[in-house]
Amino acid sequence: MTKRISLILTASICLAPFAAADDGWTGEGSFSAGYTTGNTETTDLGLAVKLNRDVGIWTYTGEAAADYGETESIETKNRFFLAGEVDRQLGDKLFGFGRTSYEQDEFSGFDSRFFAGVGLGYPLIETEQTNWSVQGGPGIKIDEVRDRFVDVNGVPTLVPGSTEQSFSVIASSDFSHKFNEAVSLTNSTNAIYAQESTQLGNVIALTAALTDTFSARFSFDVRHDTNPPEGFEATDTVTRASIVYAFGN
């Protein structure tokens, strides 16, 4: 079932830029090759799309990503991520938001992770070269922990999976800087706090324009979990090289 969902998501990511461009959306689609460390050490391929649309005081954004990797014909990475957000301007700069996200990762200790929340955001810097905004607010976090075996006095013992639902708080920061018309730097940081486990993530990326629509990007992604299930690493890192296609601009 998970492989079927991954195939559907991958096809959707490939087709989304073309459908969205005709419907007034802007954004980007990317194809990447990466190297992952942490719970797995593997080279992998990835597809991703980001969408954005402004309608008066409302802004709609969406994000989807899928990563797959094999080592000696054995699957070593299979992850996909979906997120959507709606923002509403409340003043000249202050805005409110509602956000949901969903993730499945075959090689983590979780079958799935879901978050839904609301909050406020504010742009700290808005210039032609530099933009920096922050946002945060409360929400709910649901982690589906998978079945796993742990060593108990030398005997492999099955620990049944469980559902962990808790109040949470999300905080994020999005920074971008244009060095010139062709080269830019972005840094996105997010944290989802919950009593059981807190997720921390940071992606820093350097993008260089190749043509009006295509760019090359090098990025470094760090994901950290403060309390992973026993037997799993707390930190995963992904180093990526990507080709990016911008549409609707």
Side-chain angles (χ1 to χ4, degrees), residues 11-241:
S12 300
I13 291 173
C14 292
L15 296 174
F18 303 100
D22 291 336
D23 199 29
W25 291 78
T26 61
E28 64 177 39
S30 63
F31 173 76
S32 64
Y35 176 71
T36 300
T37 66
N39 284 293
T40 61
E41 292 193 11
T42 181
T43 55
D44 51 79
L45 299 177
L47 292 170
V49 64
K50 293 182 179 180
L51 304 173
N52 183 87
R53 187 175 187 180
D54 295 320
V55 183
I57 61 175
W58 297 91
T59 299
Y60 304 89
T61 58
E63 180 181 354
D67 300 302
Y68 183 83
E70 292 184 352
T71 300
E72 296 181 352
S73 299
I74 298 175
E75 182 180 272
T76 51
K77 187 169 187 179
N78 189 342
R79 173 182 180 268
F80 70 84
F81 174 82
L82 297 170
E85 182 171 317
V86 178
D87 299 343
R88 185 189 189 280
Q89 288 299 131
L90 302 176
D92 290 340
K93 291 189 175 183
L94 184 69
F95 63 91
F97 73 88
R99 179 178 176 83
T100 62
S101 63
Y102 179 81
E103 176 185 6
Q104 281 194 356
D105 188 343
E106 287 292 295
F107 295 90
S108 72
F110 301 91
D111 276 327
S112 64
R113 315 192 82 170
F114 172 82
F115 170 82
V118 296
L120 297 173
Y122 191 86
L124 300 176
I125 300 175
E126 287 184 304
T127 68
E128 290 187 3
Q129 283 188 309
T130 305
N131 287 273
W132 181 24
S133 67
V134 294
Q135 61 187 58
I140 185 172
K141 184 170 180 279
I142 303 174
D143 291 341
E144 297 286 349
V145 183
R146 68 174 69 249
D147 296 342
R148 64 195 185 278
F149 284 92
V150 298
D151 187 284
V152 179
N153 299 322
V155 178
T157 303
L158 176 66
V159 178
S162 61
T163 299
E164 298 176 352
Q165 178 176 311
S166 58
F167 170 80
S168 62
V169 176
I170 188 172
S172 63
S173 164
D174 288 296
F175 174 86
S176 64
H177 178 76
K178 292 182 179 180
F179 295 103
N180 51 51
E181 291 299 319
V183 181
S184 62
L185 176 74
T186 58
N187 191 87
S188 297
T189 305
N190 66 83
I192 301 178
Y193 166 82
Q195 184 175 0
E196 295 295 334
S197 177
T198 297
Q199 293 173 257
L200 304 170
N202 189 83
V203 182
I204 185 168
L206 185 67
T207 303
L210 302 176
T211 68
D212 290 341
T213 55
F214 285 96
S215 301
R217 176 176 296 160
F218 181 81
S219 63
F220 183 69
D221 183 352
V222 179
R223 294 190 295 270
H224 178 78
D225 197 304
T226 60
N227 186 30
E230 185 177 349
F232 290 87
E233 297 288 337
T235 302
D236 289 320
T237 69
V238 185
T239 304
R240 297 185 188 279

